[in-house]
Coordinates of all heavy atoms in Angstrom, one line a residue:
I547 N 2.4 -6.8 19.0 CA 3.0 -7.8 19.3 C 2.4 -9.0 18.3 O 1.2 -9.2 18.3 CB 2.8 -8.2 20.8 CG1 3.4 -7.2 21.7 CG2 3.5 -9.7 21.1 CD1 3.1 -7.3 23.1
T548 N 3.2 -9.8 17.7 CA 2.9 -10.9 16.9 C 3.4 -12.3 17.2 O 4.3 -12.3 18.2 CB 3.3 -10.6 15.5 OG1 4.6 -10.8 15.3 CG2 2.9 -9.2 15.0
A549 N 3.0 -13.3 16.7 CA 3.5 -14.7 16.9 C 4.7 -15.0 16.3 O 5.2 -16.1 16.3 CB 2.5 -15.6 16.6
R550 N 5.3 -14.0 15.4 CA 6.7 -14.3 14.9 C 7.7 -14.7 15.8 O 7.9 -13.9 16.8 CB 7.0 -13.1 14.0 CG 6.4 -13.0 12.6 CD 7.1 -12.0 11.7 NE 7.4 -10.8 12.2 CZ 8.5 -10.3 12.5 NH1 9.6 -11.0 12.1 NH2 8.8 -9.1 12.9
Q551 N 8.5 -15.6 15.5 CA 9.7 -16.0 16.3 C 10.9 -15.3 15.9 O 10.9 -14.8 14.7 CB 9.9 -17.6 16.2 CG 8.7 -18.4 16.7 CD 8.3 -18.3 18.1 OE1 9.3 -18.2 19.0 NE2 7.1 -18.0 18.3
P552 N 12.0 -15.1 16.6 CA 13.2 -14.5 16.2 C 13.6 -15.0 14.9 O 13.7 -16.3 14.7 CB 14.2 -14.7 17.3 CG 13.3 -14.9 18.6 CD 12.0 -15.7 18.1
G553 N 14.0 -14.1 13.9 CA 14.5 -14.5 12.7 C 13.4 -15.1 11.8 O 13.7 -15.6 10.6
E554 N 12.1 -15.1 12.1 CA 11.0 -15.6 11.3 C 10.3 -14.4 10.6 O 10.1 -13.3 11.2 CB 10.0 -16.3 12.2 CG 8.8 -16.9 11.4 CD 8.0 -17.8 12.3 OE1 7.6 -17.3 13.3 OE2 7.7 -18.9 12.2
F555 N 10.0 -14.7 9.3 CA 9.3 -13.5 8.5 C 8.0 -14.0 7.7 O 8.1 -15.2 7.6 CB 10.4 -13.0 7.6 CG 10.9 -14.0 6.6 CD1 10.4 -14.2 5.4 CD2 12.1 -14.6 6.9 CE1 11.0 -15.0 4.5 CE2 12.7 -15.5 6.0 CZ 12.2 -15.8 4.9
I556 N 7.3 -13.2 7.3 CA 6.1 -13.5 6.5 C 6.5 -13.9 5.1 O 7.2 -12.9 4.5 CB 5.0 -12.5 6.5 CG1 4.6 -12.2 8.0 CG2 3.8 -12.9 5.7 CD1 3.7 -11.0 8.2
E557 N 6.3 -15.0 4.6 CA 6.7 -15.3 3.4 C 5.6 -15.1 2.2 O 5.7 -14.3 1.2 CB 7.3 -16.8 3.2 CG 7.9 -17.1 1.8 CD 8.5 -18.4 1.9 OE1 8.4 -19.1 2.8 OE2 9.4 -18.7 0.9
R558 N 4.4 -15.7 2.6 CA 3.3 -15.5 1.7 C 2.1 -15.3 2.5 O 2.0 -15.6 3.7 CB 3.1 -16.7 0.8 CG 4.4 -17.1 0.1 CD 4.3 -17.8 -1.2 NE 3.5 -17.1 -2.2 CZ 4.1 -16.3 -3.2 NH1 5.4 -15.8 -3.0 NH2 3.5 -15.7 -3.9
V559 N 1.1 -14.8 2.0 CA -0.3 -14.6 2.4 C -1.2 -15.6 1.6 O -1.4 -15.3 0.4 CB -0.7 -13.1 2.5 CG1 -2.2 -13.0 3.2 CG2 0.2 -12.2 3.2
H560 N -2.2 -16.3 2.2 CA -3.1 -17.1 1.6 C -4.5 -16.6 1.8 O -4.9 -16.7 3.0 CB -3.0 -18.5 2.0 CG -1.7 -19.3 1.4 ND1 -1.3 -20.5 1.8 CD2 -0.9 -18.8 0.4 CE1 -0.3 -20.8 1.1 NE2 0.1 -19.8 0.2
V561 N -5.3 -16.2 0.8 CA -6.7 -15.7 0.9 C -7.5 -16.7 0.3 O -7.5 -16.9 -0.9 CB -6.7 -14.3 0.4 CG1 -8.2 -13.7 0.6 CG2 -5.8 -13.3 0.9
P562 N -8.4 -17.2 1.1 CA -9.3 -18.3 0.4 C -10.3 -17.6 -0.6 O -10.6 -16.5 -0.3 CB -10.1 -18.8 1.7 CG -9.4 -18.4 2.8 CD -8.5 -17.3 2.6
R563 N -10.4 -18.4 -1.6 CA -11.4 -17.8 -2.6 C -12.8 -18.0 -2.2 O -13.1 -18.9 -1.3 CB -11.1 -18.5 -4.0 CG -9.7 -18.3 -4.5 CD -9.6 -18.6 -5.9 NE -10.3 -17.7 -6.8 CZ -10.6 -17.9 -8.0 NH1 -10.2 -18.9 -8.6 NH2 -11.2 -16.8 -8.7
P564 N -13.8 -17.2 -2.7 CA -15.1 -17.3 -2.1 C -15.8 -18.7 -2.4 O -15.7 -19.3 -3.4 CB -15.8 -16.2 -2.9 CG -15.1 -15.9 -4.1 CD -13.7 -16.2 -3.6
L565 N -16.6 -19.0 -1.4 CA -17.3 -20.3 -1.6 C -18.7 -20.0 -2.1 O -19.2 -18.9 -2.1 CB -17.5 -21.1 -0.1 CG -16.2 -21.4 0.6 CD1 -16.4 -22.0 2.0 CD2 -15.5 -22.6 -0.2
P566 N -19.3 -21.0 -2.7 CA -20.6 -20.8 -3.2 C -21.7 -20.1 -2.2 O -21.7 -20.6 -1.1 CB -21.3 -22.0 -3.6 CG -20.0 -23.0 -3.9 CD -18.9 -22.4 -3.0
G567 N -22.2 -19.1 -2.4 CA -23.2 -18.5 -1.6 C -22.6 -17.6 -0.6 O -23.3 -16.7 0.1
E568 N -21.2 -17.4 -0.6 CA -20.6 -16.5 0.4 C -20.8 -15.1 -0.1 O -20.5 -14.8 -1.2 CB -19.0 -16.8 0.5 CG -18.4 -16.1 1.6 CD -16.9 -16.3 1.7 OE1 -16.5 -17.2 0.9 OE2 -16.1 -15.7 2.4
Q569 N -21.1 -14.2 0.9 CA -21.1 -12.8 0.6 C -20.0 -12.0 1.5 O -20.1 -12.4 2.6 CB -22.5 -12.1 0.9 CG -23.7 -12.9 0.1 CD -25.1 -12.3 0.5 OE1 -25.3 -11.1 0.1 NE2 -26.0 -13.1 1.2
F570 N -19.4 -11.1 0.8 CA -18.4 -10.4 1.6 C -18.8 -8.8 1.4 O -18.9 -8.2 0.5 CB -17.1 -10.8 1.2 CG -16.0 -10.0 1.7 CD1 -15.5 -10.3 3.1 CD2 -15.2 -8.9 1.2 CE1 -14.5 -9.7 3.7 CE2 -14.2 -8.3 1.8 CZ -13.8 -8.6 3.1
K571 N -18.6 -8.2 2.7 CA -18.8 -6.8 2.8 C -17.7 -6.2 3.7 O -17.5 -6.8 4.6 CB -20.2 -6.5 3.4 CG -21.5 -6.9 2.6 CD -21.6 -6.1 1.2 CE -22.8 -6.7 0.4 NZ -22.8 -5.8 -0.8
A572 N -17.3 -5.0 3.3 CA -16.2 -4.3 4.0 C -16.5 -2.8 3.9 O -16.8 -2.2 2.9 CB -14.8 -4.7 3.3
Y573 N -16.3 -2.3 5.1 CA -16.5 -0.8 5.3 C -15.3 -0.1 6.0 O -14.9 -0.7 6.9 CB -17.8 -0.4 6.0 CG -19.0 -1.4 5.4 CD1 -19.4 -2.4 6.2 CD2 -19.6 -1.1 4.3 CE1 -20.5 -3.1 5.8 CE2 -20.7 -1.7 3.7 CZ -21.1 -2.9 4.5 OH -22.1 -3.6 4.1
K574 N -15.1 1.1 5.6 CA -14.0 2.0 6.1 C -14.6 3.3 6.5 O -15.3 3.9 5.7 CB -12.7 2.2 5.3 CG -11.7 3.1 5.8 CD -10.6 3.2 4.9 CE -9.6 4.3 5.5 NZ -8.3 4.2 4.6
V575 N -14.6 3.7 7.8 CA -15.1 5.0 8.2 C -13.9 5.9 8.7 O -13.1 5.5 9.6 CB -16.1 4.8 9.4 CG1 -16.5 6.2 10.0 CG2 -17.2 3.9 9.0
A576 N -13.7 6.9 8.1 CA -12.6 7.9 8.3 C -13.1 9.3 8.1 O -14.3 9.5 7.7 CB -11.5 7.5 7.4
K577 N -12.3 10.1 8.6 CA -12.8 11.7 8.5 C -12.7 12.2 7.2 O -13.4 13.1 6.8 CB -11.8 12.6 9.4 CG -11.9 12.3 10.9 CD -11.2 13.1 11.7 CE -11.3 12.9 13.2 NZ -10.5 13.8 14.1
R578 N -11.8 11.6 6.2 CA -11.8 11.9 4.8 C -12.2 10.6 4.0 O -11.7 9.5 4.4 CB -10.4 12.4 4.4 CG -10.0 13.7 5.0 CD -8.8 14.4 4.2 NE -7.7 13.4 4.2 CZ -6.6 13.5 4.9 NH1 -6.5 14.3 5.8 NH2 -5.6 12.7 4.6
L579 N -12.6 10.7 2.9 CA -12.8 9.6 2.0 C -11.6 9.0 1.5 O -11.4 7.7 1.6 CB -13.7 10.1 0.7 CG -14.2 9.0 -0.2 CD1 -15.1 8.0 0.5 CD2 -14.8 9.5 -1.3
D580 N -10.7 9.8 1.1 CA -9.4 9.3 0.5 C -8.2 9.8 1.5 O -8.2 10.7 2.2 CB -9.2 9.9 -0.9 CG -10.2 9.5 -1.9 OD1 -10.5 8.2 -1.9 OD2 -10.7 10.3 -2.7
D581 N -7.2 8.9 1.3 CA -6.0 9.2 1.9 C -6.0 9.5 3.5 O -5.6 10.5 3.9 CB -5.2 10.3 1.2 CG -3.7 10.4 1.5 OD1 -3.3 9.6 2.1 OD2 -3.1 11.5 1.0
D582 N -6.8 8.6 4.1 CA -6.9 8.8 5.6 C -6.8 7.5 6.3 O -7.1 6.4 5.6 CB -8.2 9.6 5.8 CG -8.2 10.3 7.2 OD1 -7.1 10.2 7.9 OD2 -9.3 10.8 7.6
I583 N -6.6 7.6 7.6 CA -6.5 6.3 8.3 C -8.0 6.0 8.9 O -8.7 6.9 9.3 CB -5.5 6.5 9.5 CG1 -4.2 6.6 8.9 CG2 -5.7 5.3 10.5 CD1 -3.2 7.0 9.8
S584 N -8.2 4.8 9.2 CA -9.6 4.4 9.7 C -9.7 4.7 11.1 O -8.9 4.7 11.9 CB -9.8 2.9 9.7 OG -9.8 2.3 8.2
A585 N -11.0 5.2 11.4 CA -11.5 5.3 12.8 C -12.0 3.9 13.1 O -11.7 3.4 14.1 CB -12.6 6.4 13.0
V586 N -12.8 3.4 12.1 CA -13.4 1.9 12.4 C -13.2 1.3 10.9 O -13.8 2.0 9.9 CB -14.7 1.9 12.9 CG1 -15.3 0.5 12.9 CG2 -14.9 2.6 14.3
C587 N -12.8 0.1 11.0 CA -12.9 -0.7 9.8 C -13.7 -2.1 10.0 O -13.2 -2.7 11.0 CB -11.5 -0.9 9.0 SG -11.3 -1.7 7.5
A588 N -14.7 -2.4 9.2 CA -15.4 -3.5 9.5 C -15.4 -4.5 8.3 O -15.5 -4.0 7.0 CB -16.8 -3.2 10.0
A589 N -15.4 -5.8 8.5 CA -15.5 -6.7 7.3 C -16.4 -7.9 7.8 O -16.4 -8.4 8.9 CB -14.2 -7.3 6.9
F590 N -17.3 -8.4 6.8 CA -18.3 -9.4 7.2 C -18.3 -10.4 6.0 O -18.4 -10.2 4.8 CB -19.7 -8.8 7.3 CG -19.9 -7.7 8.2 CD1 -19.6 -6.4 7.8 CD2 -20.3 -7.9 9.6 CE1 -19.7 -5.3 8.6 CE2 -20.2 -6.8 10.5 CZ -19.9 -5.5 9.9
S591 N -18.2 -11.7 6.4 CA -18.2 -12.8 5.5 C -19.4 -13.6 5.9 O -19.5 -14.2 7.0 CB -16.9 -13.6 5.5 OG -17.1 -14.8 4.8
L592 N -20.4 -13.5 5.1 CA -21.8 -14.2 5.4 C -22.1 -15.1 4.4 O -22.1 -15.1 3.2 CB -22.8 -13.0 5.5 CG -24.2 -13.3 5.6 CD1 -24.5 -13.9 7.0 CD2 -25.1 -12.1 5.3
T593 N -22.7 -16.3 4.9 CA -23.3 -17.4 4.1 C -24.8 -17.6 4.7 O -24.8 -17.9 5.9 CB -22.5 -18.7 4.0 OG1 -21.1 -18.4 3.6 CG2 -23.2 -19.8 3.1
L594 N -25.7 -17.6 3.9 CA -27.0 -17.8 4.2 C -27.7 -19.0 3.7 O -27.1 -19.5 2.5 CB -28.0 -16.7 3.8 CG -27.6 -15.2 4.4 CD1 -28.6 -14.2 3.7 CD2 -27.8 -15.3 5.8
D595 N -28.4 -19.7 4.6 CA -29.1 -21.0 4.1 C -30.6 -20.9 4.4 O -30.8 -20.9 5.6 CB -28.4 -22.1 4.7 CG -29.1 -23.5 4.2 OD1 -29.8 -23.5 3.2 OD2 -28.7 -24.6 4.7
Q596 N -31.4 -20.7 3.3 CA -32.8 -20.5 3.6 C -33.1 -19.4 4.6 O -34.0 -19.6 5.5 CB -33.5 -21.9 4.0 CG -33.4 -22.9 2.9 CD -34.0 -24.2 3.3 OE1 -34.4 -24.4 4.5 NE2 -34.3 -25.1 2.3
G597 N -32.5 -18.4 4.5 CA -32.7 -17.2 5.4 C -32.0 -17.3 6.7 O -32.1 -16.3 7.5
R598 N -31.3 -18.3 7.0 CA -30.6 -18.4 8.3 C -28.9 -18.2 8.2 O -28.5 -18.5 7.0 CB -30.8 -19.7 8.9 CG -32.3 -19.8 9.4 CD -32.5 -21.1 10.3 NE -33.8 -21.2 11.0 CZ -34.1 -20.7 12.1 NH1 -33.2 -20.2 12.9 NH2 -35.4 -20.7 12.5
V599 N -28.5 -17.8 9.0 CA -27.0 -17.5 8.9 C -26.2 -18.9 9.1 O -26.2 -19.6 10.2 CB -26.4 -16.5 10.1 CG1 -25.0 -16.5 10.0 CG2 -27.1 -15.3 10.0
A600 N -25.8 -19.5 8.0 CA -25.1 -20.8 8.0 C -23.6 -20.6 8.2 O -22.9 -21.5 8.7 CB -25.3 -21.5 6.6
G601 N -23.0 -19.4 8.0 CA -21.6 -19.3 8.2 C -21.4 -17.7 8.4 O -22.0 -16.8 7.7
I602 N -20.6 -17.3 9.4 CA -20.4 -15.9 9.6 C -19.0 -15.6 10.2 O -18.6 -16.3 11.2 CB -21.4 -15.3 10.5 CG1 -21.3 -13.9 10.7 CG2 -21.4 -15.9 11.9 CD1 -21.6 -12.9 9.5
R603 N -18.2 -14.7 9.7 CA -17.0 -14.3 10.3 C -17.0 -12.7 10.2 O -17.3 -12.1 9.1 CB -15.8 -14.7 9.6 CG -15.5 -16.3 9.6 CD -14.4 -16.7 8.6 NE -13.2 -16.2 9.2 CZ -12.3 -16.8 10.0 NH1 -12.6 -18.0 10.4 NH2 -11.2 -16.2 10.4
I604 N -16.8 -12.1 11.4 CA -16.9 -10.7 11.5 C -15.6 -10.1 12.2 O -15.1 -10.7 13.1 CB -18.1 -10.1 12.4 CG1 -19.3 -10.7 11.7 CG2 -18.0 -8.6 12.4 CD1 -20.5 -10.3 12.6
A605 N -14.9 -9.1 11.6 CA -13.7 -8.6 12.1 C -13.7 -7.2 12.0 O -14.3 -6.6 11.2 CB -12.5 -9.1 11.4
Y606 N -13.0 -6.5 13.0 CA -12.9 -5.0 13.0 C -11.5 -4.6 13.3 O -10.8 -5.3 13.9 CB -13.8 -4.4 14.2 CG -15.4 -4.5 14.0 CD1 -16.1 -5.7 14.4 CD2 -15.9 -3.4 13.4 CE1 -17.5 -5.6 14.1 CE2 -17.3 -3.4 13.3 CZ -18.0 -4.4 13.6 OH -19.5 -4.5 13.4
G607 N -11.1 -3.4 12.8 CA -10.0 -2.6 13.0 C -10.4 -1.4 13.8 O -11.4 -0.8 13.5
G608 N -9.5 -0.9 14.7 CA -9.8 0.4 15.4 C -10.7 0.1 16.5 O -11.0 1.1 17.3
M609 N -10.9 -1.0 16.9 CA -11.9 -1.3 18.0 C -11.1 -2.0 19.2 O -11.7 -2.2 20.3 CB -12.9 -2.3 17.6 CG -13.9 -1.5 16.5 SD -14.9 -0.4 17.3 CE -16.0 -1.3 18.4
A610 N -9.8 -2.4 19.1 CA -9.1 -3.0 20.1 C -7.6 -2.8 19.7 O -7.3 -2.1 18.8 CB -9.4 -4.6 20.2
A611 N -6.8 -3.3 20.7 CA -5.4 -3.2 20.5 C -5.0 -3.9 19.3 O -3.5 -3.7 18.8 CB -4.6 -3.6 21.8

Side-chain angles (χ1 to χ4, degrees):
I547 301 173
T548 72
R550 281 197 307 120
Q551 301 299 311
E554 188 174 48
F555 58 90
I556 304 172
E557 188 170 13
R558 308 202 68 79
V559 182
H560 288 167
V561 184
R563 302 197 67 192
L565 297 173
E568 180 181 359
Q569 301 181 70
F570 179 71
K571 297 291 180 181
Y573 311 104
K574 173 178 176 175
V575 177
K577 292 184 177 181
R578 297 195 305 259
L579 180 65
D580 295 314
D581 200 8
D582 201 4
I583 294 171
S584 297
V586 177
C587 186
F590 307 88
S591 176
L592 170 71
T593 303
L594 299 177
D595 183 7
Q596 297 182 345
R598 289 184 175 271
V599 179
I602 185 73
R603 292 177 66 95
I604 300 173
Y606 285 90
M609 295 290 290

